[in-house]
Amino acid sequence: MLGKGGKRKFDEHEDGLEGKVVSPTDGPSKVSYTLQRQTIFNISLMKLYNHRPLTEPSLQKTVLINNMLRRIQEELKQEGSLRPMFVAASQPADPLSDNFREAQPAFSHLASPPLLPADLVSTMPLESCLTPASLLEDDTFCTSPAVQHDGPTKPPPPALQPVKDSFSSALDEIEELCPAPTSAEAVAAESAAGDSKAQPSESNIHKPEGLPESRTAESKLMDPLPGNFEITASTGFLTDLTLDDILFADIDTSMYDFDPCTSATGAASKMAPVSADELLKTLAPYSSQPVTPNQPFKMDLTELDHIMEVLVGS
Amino acid sequence: FLGAGGGNDIQWCFSQVKGAVDDDVAEADIISTVEFNHSGELLATGDKGGRVVIFQQEQENKTQSHSRGEYNVYSTFQSHEPEFDYLKSLEIEEKINKIRWLPQKNAAQFLLSTNDKTIKLWKISERDKRPEGYNLKEEDGRYRDPTTVTTLRVPVFRPMDLMVEASPRRIFANAHTYHINSISINSDYETYLSADDLRINLWHLEITDRSFSILLPLFYIVDIKPANMEELTEVITAAEFHPNSCSTFVYSSSKGTIRLCDMRASALCDRHSKLFEEPEDPSNRSFFSEIISSISDVKFSHSGRYMMTRDYLSVKIWDLNMENRPVETYQVHEYLRSKLCSLYENDCIFDKFECCWNGSDRQVEFLSLIVMTGSYNNFFRMFDRNTKRDITLEASRENNKPRTVLKPRKVCASGKRKKDEISVDSLDFNKKILHTAWHPKENIIAVATTNNLYIFQDKMN
């Protein structure tokens, strides 16, 4: 949330927020510009993916929205500052994994050094990016709510947060249990979700409520985009960009190597999704050992059990 | 007079309103097109339910010189039905996108009506006599026993109550992969064009009284479909034949350009003769610049020397001899420029407003001097090219008194709202006037709100 002066600031710059381009180089105006761009981006995505017409959607409308998305994407590319990655031990997206979209040369520069949370303060303070869209305008159309965020150091859970279905609440629980990186979620999610992962995302994205809507989309944009956002994907006129790609982009698909012989940076190596049983097996010998800082996560066997139950049983 | 000078601005008065009074609008009743025929005697509307309703003007009553004839329902018929595209698993809407009248050649009237995919030629004919006195048939149609016939007589026509019949004479189908947005009849009255998002087809009308047939187009005259659909960034939004030159037509695009093509140059007009485009005003640049530049309607002036285009916020008049910018620009609702983000969010920014010229006055033929177009809150606007004055009027049942001049409206963009002004935030964006039509010869206008048709006339002295 912006500080108390936030609303006033936007009032002053009202003209600059709508209609007029605000140069990305001036101080507070830059924030407004970026924010507006982000909001429009979210709205555009929603329009393309929430629409369930019985009749064929208007080609003109689709083309115009698509052009809007492309333009924003171009700008982002040019600025060279796609949303910083939140995943602390971020991995280069595995070209072989299903979630990776091809034709990624533009994003390869993001792949190599994993960004730590400290790096997140790149070109703009995060808090300022989270001002709700309603502050963009002085009218009643835009009803996006204030976005709650704990700050850049805590990576947000994958974009399922606003929807309280079983999957996301399970993830919340996991998060509570594992204060460290998202890899734990990734592991659990990957192992448990399996085929059903498409479903929560489907039900998630198609919830039409106006309120969480922009939040969902917003956190989508906040999540690392590389590879998953290639709107001009070769697989057809936007229609093939599956929701999975957007929502699950940030879940680390490479698994931690439980083999004690590998170093902590074994995170760099890919692992196949493991089943709960396998997890239990590998963890068993370590249960009595003190957890070293290099351990990717601390987990109790019983807690793991609990998680699995929640994920599978729900 | 049409306000062409002498300070005689038109004073518009309410004349009639057609349609349900309910605030609860039935989807099928939403009016989707309005069109006068060439004489102005008939006024056709199409709706979302695929119906066409034609109103006919009463003959002027000499004793009632204070008003022109009223319009009453003449014919109603179901033009299009919903269809299902099995290949795409999608419905094809029956909504009538456009109606265009053919000039009258004989007693019958012909019009073209189109939905997203199929164009139909309808014949509307009157029957006010019927034959009576058959030898072998009773009056009710039963056959008589021939053995009871003792004398022969010649059947005669006797008057009957007027019956107006509409029958489809041609169906022009399967020629559009995308949604038809325009139809335009050539000045030769033998051919017409139909335009969808990516293609324009040319058809032969071939009006004969032969039985009904299904035809294929002559050929594409424009095709902007890219080899790879992902490269598609621009679509056709409207097209119209030149009023005098039968080989010339224009089409507008979603990027705010208009292309003028000459069919004599080549059968497939992939290269335009002229490209009309106004360079972007850098001070008005925004994320929405492209969307609001998308042209929703294009209309030639009566003489064919000018054309008018409607984009989201303005109406532009172009001289066909000047491609690099319009000669005149009129702001329809500039106060919406600061609301574009909301209007994008609620889809209003994609509303397709039409525009029309005044009719050609009896005394001043072919002068296109006044422009009319719709806006929100059931407001519509008129711009006088001569005086540069403009007026905002409202189509509402509250202005119901015939012969009472409509009160001009004003929208207050910002700052202190004066009495009788409406602030932008109070505008009802669900009440949009997209379709308006001007009688070809008189100062009578038809304005369609969501589900009502208003007819206004100028106050005759």
Side-chain angles (χ1 to χ4, degrees):
Chain A
M1 277 297 276
L2 279 185
K4 283 187 193 143
K7 172 97 177 156
R8 181 90 13 196
K9 206 191 301 185
F10 277 115
D11 279 348
E12 279 167 10
H13 289 283
E14 201 180 73
D15 279 344
L17 288 162
E18 275 282 38
K20 307 234 161 99
V21 136
V22 179
S23 158
T25 54
D26 0 313
S29 304
K30 181 190 176 179
V31 169
S32 326
Y33 177 84
T34 317
L35 178 56
Q36 186 188 27
R37 178 175 63 192
Q38 181 183 321
T39 308
I40 292 168
F41 177 83
N42 299 341
I43 295 171
S44 305
L45 270 187
M46 283 292 132
K47 281 189 187 306
L48 284 177
Y49 290 105
N50 272 3
H51 189 41
R52 288 279 214 200
L54 296 164
T55 56
E56 216 166 340
S58 154
L59 185 62
Q60 179 194 358
K61 195 168 150 188
T62 308
V63 164
L64 288 171
I65 297 171
N66 194 34
N67 289 353
M68 176 80 87
L69 288 166
R70 276 188 185 141
R71 254 200 308 280
I72 294 177
Q73 190 191 9
E74 268 313 305
E75 256 186 44
L76 292 172
K77 271 192 209 179
Q78 276 166 19
E79 286 176 11
S81 63
L82 282 184
R83 287 283 176 269
M85 297 198 206
F86 281 13
V87 180
S90 77
Q91 312 309 316
D94 185 351
L96 298 178
S97 96
D98 286 343
N99 287 340
F100 188 79
R101 307 296 294 176
E102 52 178 285
Q104 299 316 317
F107 300 97
S108 55
H109 68 282
L110 292 164
S112 25
L115 291 175
L116 299 174
D119 290 351
L120 296 179
V121 189
S122 47
T123 48
M124 65 216 87
L126 268 175
E127 298 83 35
S128 59
C129 298
L130 303 173
T131 310
S134 57
L135 292 186
L136 282 177
E137 294 168 0
D138 202 20
D139 59 36
T140 52
F141 288 104
C142 224
T143 56
S144 314
V147 168
Q148 300 302 321
H149 206 276
D150 296 326
T153 51
K154 180 182 174 206
L160 302 173
Q161 188 185 15
V163 180
K164 288 299 168 193
D165 60 13
S166 57
F167 192 66
S168 56
S169 47
L171 287 172
D172 286 347
E173 287 189 74
I174 293 166
E175 208 196 324
E176 281 164 49
L177 296 168
C178 323
T182 55
S183 46
E185 297 135 280
V187 170
E190 199 65 41
S191 53
D195 309 276
S196 65
K197 118 176 129 176
Q199 275 169 329
S201 73
E202 289 283 332
S203 62
N204 186 22
I205 201 73
H206 293 303
K207 292 221 152 78
E209 62 263 32
L211 294 189
E213 178 178 275
S214 63
R215 173 63 221 276
T216 310
E218 196 166 22
S219 43
K220 274 195 296 223
L221 184 55
M222 299 304 278
D223 295 335
L225 289 176
N228 308 295
F229 170 50
E230 191 55 69
I231 284 296
T232 50
S234 51
T235 47
F237 199 59
L238 287 182
T239 52
D240 290 8
L241 188 64
T242 66
L243 298 163
D244 286 5
D245 302 319
I246 298 171
L247 294 173
F248 286 86
D250 61 319
I251 290 182
D252 197 347
T253 54
S254 33
M255 292 299 143
Y256 288 91
D257 194 339
F258 291 109
D259 186 340
C261 298
T262 63
S263 67
T265 56
S269 63
K270 180 186 191 282
M271 263 180 58
V274 294
S275 72
D277 289 336
E278 285 168 7
L279 266 179
L280 290 174
K281 266 192 268 179
T282 49
L283 285 173
Y286 303 122
S287 56
S288 55
Q289 286 183 358
V291 179
T292 71
N294 281 343
Q295 282 280 351
F297 53 87
K298 314 175 190 180
M299 199 177 272
D300 218 42
L301 282 179
T302 51
E303 279 165 343
L304 175 63
D305 244 336
H306 172 65
I307 292 161
M308 293 311 300
E309 249 176 79
V310 167
L311 288 169
V312 173
S314 52
Chain B
F1 212 62
L2 287 177
N8 287 338
D9 281 348
I10 305 173
Q11 294 185 299
W12 294 103
C13 305
F14 170 83
S15 173
Q16 297 172 270
V17 59
K18 308 282 187 193
V21 188
D22 286 346
D23 274 342
D24 205 11
V25 179
E27 185 105 350
D29 292 339
I30 295 174
I31 298 173
S32 48
T33 186
V34 181
E35 187 82 357
F36 280 98
N37 77 336
H38 289 253
S39 66
E41 184 203 354
L42 298 177
L43 173 59
T45 61
D47 64 25
K48 211 167 175 207
R51 289 166 305 197
V52 170
V53 179
I54 303 176
F55 302 92
Q56 183 187 41
Q57 190 180 25
E58 273 173 8
Q59 293 313 300
E60 270 182 49
N61 195 328
K62 297 292 185 246
T63 62
Q64 285 187 329
S65 58
H66 57 262
S67 73
R68 298 185 179 82
E70 280 201 342
Y71 283 85
N72 299 312
V73 176
Y74 176 69
S75 171
T76 305
F77 57 94
Q78 188 74 34
S79 171
H80 286 71
E81 299 276 1
E83 286 171 49
F84 196 75
D85 181 339
Y86 290 97
L87 215 56
K88 296 180 191 170
S89 238
L90 290 168
E91 259 189 38
I92 298 170
E93 272 195 301
E94 67 274 33
K95 172 169 74 88
I96 308 295
N97 293 338
K98 286 280 165 15
I99 289 174
R100 289 286 182 263
W101 289 92
L102 267 65
Q104 193 171 8
K105 277 188 190 172
N106 50 40
Q109 301 274 359
F110 288 87
L111 62 77
L112 287 173
S113 71
T114 185
N115 70 348
D116 283 338
K117 299 283 184 181
T118 304
I119 306 142
K120 295 187 185 180
L121 175 68
W122 288 89
K123 176 180 177 186
I124 295 114
S125 47
E126 289 183 5
R127 193 196 290 263
D128 61 357
K129 305 182 206 14
R130 63 160 181 238
E132 286 177 19
Y134 283 105
N135 291 293
L136 293 175
K137 265 198 302 188
E138 303 286 1
E139 291 310 324
D140 59 9
R142 279 181 304 140
Y143 281 97
R144 289 168 73 180
D145 180 353
T147 57
T148 63
V149 178
T150 52
T151 60
L152 284 179
R153 58 186 176 170
V154 177
V156 293
F157 276 103
R158 291 262 147 74
M160 61 177 256
D161 287 341
L162 178 67
M163 218 169 66
V164 181
E165 300 169 319
S167 57
R169 298 320 266 163
R170 297 278 181 275
I171 297 204
F172 305 94
N174 302 319
H176 286 283
T177 313
Y178 306 97
H179 292 178
I180 299 173
N181 51 56
S182 315
I183 45 178
S184 177
I185 300 171
N186 204 342
S187 49
D188 64 8
Y189 301 139
E190 286 180 2
T191 54
Y192 76 95
L193 63 75
S194 60
D196 67 28
D197 296 301
L198 298 180
R199 291 199 181 106
I200 301 181
N201 291 332
L202 184 73
W203 304 84
H204 203 280
L205 274 169
E206 207 188 39
I207 308 167
T208 68
D209 230 14
R210 279 187 330 214
S211 59
F212 164 110
S213 53
I214 299 182
L215 298 167
L216 289 176
L218 291 179
F219 42 78
Y220 295 158
I221 44 178
V222 172
D223 186 347
I224 65 168
K225 182 171 189 241
N228 181 0
M229 276 296 275
E230 282 165 38
E231 292 163 22
L232 181 65
T233 57
E234 191 173 7
V235 298
I236 297 170
T237 52
E240 193 177 62
F241 264 118
H242 191 277
N244 304 323
S245 164
C246 54
S247 62
T248 308
F249 65 95
V250 292
Y251 69 93
S252 60
S253 82
S254 55
K255 286 195 174 174
T257 65
I258 309 106
R259 286 170 175 81
L260 184 139
C261 299
D262 190 330
M263 294 194 287
R264 289 168 301 190
S266 70
L268 178 62
C269 297
D270 46 359
R271 261 187 276 177
H272 49 264
S273 306
K274 296 195 186 193
L275 173 65
F276 299 83
E277 188 174 13
E278 182 174 28
E280 200 182 358
D281 175 4
S283 66
N284 269 339
R285 244 193 100 239
S286 80
F287 287 108
F288 306 101
S289 292
E290 185 194 39
I291 297 181
I292 62 170
S293 77
S294 178
I295 291 171
S296 49
D297 197 12
V298 62
K299 293 265 168 54
F300 276 104
S301 68
H302 300 297
S303 65
R305 186 182 155 194
Y306 297 99
M307 65 179 172
M308 157 164 69
T309 57
R310 175 70 155 99
D311 50 70
Y312 190 62
L313 296 180
S314 67
V315 169
K316 295 181 179 170
I317 314 279
W318 303 78
D319 183 324
L320 290 200
N321 296 321
M322 181 159 41
E323 296 171 59
N324 57 358
R325 60 177 178 83
V327 290
E328 291 150 46
T329 301
Y330 299 100
Q331 300 301 335
V332 181
H333 35 218
E334 179 72 9
Y335 46 78
L336 295 183
R337 195 179 286 275
S338 58
K339 307 287 177 193
L340 292 177
C341 195
S342 307
L343 295 165
Y344 179 61
E345 196 175 21
N346 66 14
D347 272 356
C348 282
I349 208 174
F350 299 107
D351 285 337
K352 294 187 194 165
F353 291 96
E354 292 173 8
C355 53
C356 67
W357 296 99
N358 59 281
S360 60
D361 185 79
R362 281 191 188 103
Q363 284 150 325
V364 190
E365 290 277 73
F366 299 129
L367 266 193
S368 297
L369 297 171
I370 306 185
V371 164
M372 171 165 64
T373 189
S375 178
Y376 294 105
N377 211 67
N378 281 348
F379 287 169
F380 59 102
R381 306 260 286 136
M382 293 201 198
F383 303 92
D384 187 320
R385 295 178 67 198
N386 262 2
T387 65
K388 300 300 180 204
R389 281 205 293 267
D390 62 83
I391 192 170
T392 305
L393 299 172
E394 183 179 1
S396 87
R397 286 176 183 268
E398 283 156 21
N399 305 337
N400 253 352
K401 296 191 191 138
R403 283 174 283 128
T404 305
V405 177
L406 292 179
K407 187 173 149 189
R409 295 291 187 205
K410 188 126 168 44
V411 176
C412 166
S414 59
K416 201 159 162 59
R417 187 177 73 87
K418 298 194 189 84
K419 183 177 179 272
D420 284 349
E421 282 185 358
I422 298 186
S423 78
V424 186
D425 298 316
S426 316
L427 294 174
D428 187 341
F429 287 83
N430 289 321
K431 293 187 178 170
K432 39 193 106 175
I433 291 180
L434 303 174
H435 313 286
T436 60
W438 201 307
H439 191 291
K441 299 202 185 340
E442 301 181 28
N443 286 341
I444 301 175
I445 54 176
V447 174
T449 59
T450 308
N451 64 334
N452 284 172
L453 183 71
Y454 286 79
I455 299 173
F456 301 102
Q457 321 182 349
D458 76 3
K459 182 175 182 148
M460 291 170 83
N461 299 317

